[in-house]
Coordinates of all heavy atoms in Angstrom, one line a residue:
R45 N -9.7 1.0 -4.9 CA -9.7 0.3 -3.6 C -11.1 -0.3 -3.4 O -11.2 -1.4 -2.8 CB -9.5 1.4 -2.5 CG -9.6 0.9 -1.1 CD -9.4 2.0 -0.1 NE -8.1 2.5 -0.1 CZ -7.1 2.0 0.5 NH1 -7.2 0.9 1.2 NH2 -5.9 2.6 0.4
L46 N -12.2 0.3 -3.9 CA -13.5 -0.3 -3.7 C -13.6 -1.6 -4.6 O -14.3 -2.6 -4.2 CB -14.6 0.7 -4.1 CG -14.6 1.9 -3.3 CD1 -15.8 2.9 -3.7 CD2 -14.9 1.6 -1.8
V47 N -13.0 -1.6 -5.8 CA -13.0 -2.8 -6.6 C -12.2 -3.9 -5.8 O -12.7 -5.1 -5.8 CB -12.3 -2.5 -8.0 CG1 -12.3 -3.8 -8.8 CG2 -13.0 -1.4 -8.7
W48 N -11.1 -3.6 -5.3 CA -10.3 -4.5 -4.5 C -11.2 -5.1 -3.4 O -11.1 -6.3 -3.1 CB -9.1 -3.7 -3.9 CG -8.3 -4.5 -2.9 CD1 -8.4 -4.5 -1.5 CD2 -7.1 -5.3 -3.2 NE1 -7.4 -5.3 -0.9 CE2 -6.6 -5.8 -1.9 CE3 -6.5 -5.7 -4.3 CZ2 -5.5 -6.7 -1.8 CZ3 -5.4 -6.6 -4.2 CH2 -4.9 -7.0 -3.0
Q49 N -12.0 -4.3 -2.7 CA -12.9 -4.8 -1.7 C -14.0 -5.6 -2.2 O -14.4 -6.7 -1.7 CB -13.4 -3.7 -0.8 CG -12.3 -3.0 0.0 CD -12.7 -1.7 0.7 OE1 -13.8 -1.2 0.4 NE2 -11.8 -1.2 1.5
K50 N -14.6 -5.1 -3.3 CA -15.8 -5.8 -3.9 C -15.4 -7.2 -4.3 O -16.2 -8.1 -4.1 CB -16.2 -5.0 -5.2 CG -17.4 -5.6 -6.0 CD -17.7 -4.8 -7.1 CE -18.7 -5.5 -8.1 NZ -18.9 -4.8 -9.3
Y51 N -14.3 -7.5 -4.9 CA -13.9 -8.8 -5.4 C -13.1 -9.6 -4.3 O -12.6 -10.7 -4.6 CB -13.1 -8.7 -6.7 CG -14.0 -8.3 -7.8 CD1 -14.1 -7.0 -8.2 CD2 -14.9 -9.2 -8.5 CE1 -14.9 -6.6 -9.2 CE2 -15.7 -8.8 -9.5 CZ -15.7 -7.5 -9.9 OH -16.6 -7.1 -10.9
N52 N -12.9 -9.0 -3.1 CA -12.3 -9.7 -2.0 C -10.9 -10.2 -2.3 O -10.6 -11.3 -1.8 CB -13.2 -10.8 -1.6 CG -13.5 -10.8 -0.1 OD1 -12.8 -10.2 0.6 ND2 -14.5 -11.5 0.3
C53 N -10.1 -9.4 -3.0 CA -8.7 -9.8 -3.3 C -8.0 -10.1 -2.0 O -7.1 -11.0 -1.9 CB -8.0 -8.7 -4.1 SG -8.9 -8.1 -5.5
Q54 N -8.3 -9.3 -0.9 CA -7.6 -9.4 0.3 C -7.8 -10.8 1.0 O -7.0 -11.2 1.9 CB -8.2 -8.3 1.3 CG -7.3 -8.1 2.5 CD -6.2 -7.1 2.2 OE1 -6.3 -6.3 1.2 NE2 -5.3 -7.0 3.1
S55 N -8.8 -11.5 0.6 CA -9.0 -12.8 1.3 C -7.9 -13.8 0.9 O -7.7 -14.8 1.6 CB -10.4 -13.4 0.9 OG -10.5 -13.7 -0.5
C56 N -7.3 -13.6 -0.3 CA -6.2 -14.5 -0.7 C -4.9 -13.8 -0.8 O -3.8 -14.5 -0.8 CB -6.5 -15.1 -2.1 SG -7.9 -16.2 -2.1
H57 N -4.9 -12.5 -0.9 CA -3.6 -11.7 -1.1 C -3.4 -10.8 0.1 O -4.3 -10.3 0.7 CB -3.7 -10.9 -2.3 CG -3.7 -11.7 -3.6 ND1 -2.6 -12.3 -4.1 CD2 -4.7 -12.0 -4.4 CE1 -2.9 -12.9 -5.2 NE2 -4.2 -12.8 -5.4
Q58 N -2.1 -10.5 0.3 CA -1.7 -9.5 1.3 C -1.3 -8.2 0.7 O -0.8 -8.1 -0.4 CB -0.6 -9.9 2.2 CG -0.6 -11.4 2.7 CD 0.1 -12.3 1.8 OE1 1.4 -12.1 1.6 NE2 -0.5 -13.3 1.2
L59 N -1.5 -7.1 1.5 CA -0.9 -5.8 1.2 C -0.1 -5.5 2.4 O -0.6 -5.6 3.5 CB -1.9 -4.7 0.9 CG -2.7 -4.8 -0.3 CD1 -3.7 -3.7 -0.5 CD2 -1.9 -4.9 -1.6
Y60 N 1.2 -5.2 2.3 CA 2.1 -5.1 3.5 C 2.0 -6.2 4.4 O 1.9 -6.0 5.6 CB 1.8 -3.7 4.2 CG 2.3 -2.6 3.4 CD1 1.5 -1.7 2.7 CD2 3.7 -2.3 3.3 CE1 2.0 -0.7 1.9 CE2 4.2 -1.3 2.6 CZ 3.3 -0.4 1.9 OH 3.9 0.6 1.2
G61 N 1.8 -7.4 3.9 CA 1.9 -8.6 4.8 C 0.5 -8.9 5.4 O 0.4 -10.0 6.1
L62 N -0.5 -8.1 5.2 CA -1.8 -8.3 5.9 C -2.8 -8.8 4.9 O -3.0 -8.2 3.9 CB -2.3 -7.1 6.6 CG -1.4 -6.6 7.7 CD1 -2.0 -5.2 8.2 CD2 -1.4 -7.6 8.9
G63 N -3.4 -9.9 5.2 CA -4.4 -10.5 4.3 C -4.4 -12.0 4.3 O -3.7 -12.6 5.2
G64 N -5.0 -12.6 3.3 CA -5.0 -14.0 3.2 C -3.6 -14.5 2.6 O -2.9 -13.7 2.0
Y65 N -3.3 -15.8 2.8 CA -2.0 -16.3 2.4 C -2.1 -17.4 1.3 O -1.1 -18.1 1.1 CB -1.3 -16.8 3.6 CG -0.9 -15.7 4.5 CD1 -1.6 -15.3 5.6 CD2 0.3 -15.0 4.2 CE1 -1.3 -14.3 6.4 CE2 0.6 -13.9 5.0 CZ -0.1 -13.6 6.1 OH 0.2 -12.5 6.8

Side-chain angles (χ1 to χ4, degrees):
R45 176 182 295 278
L46 297 181
V47 178
W48 173 267
Q49 288 168 355
K50 178 179 168 189
Y51 291 95
N52 230 342
C53 311
Q54 193 88 16
S55 63
C56 295
H57 292 282
Q58 313 97 61
L59 293 179
Y60 286 105
L62 295 175
Y65 290 95

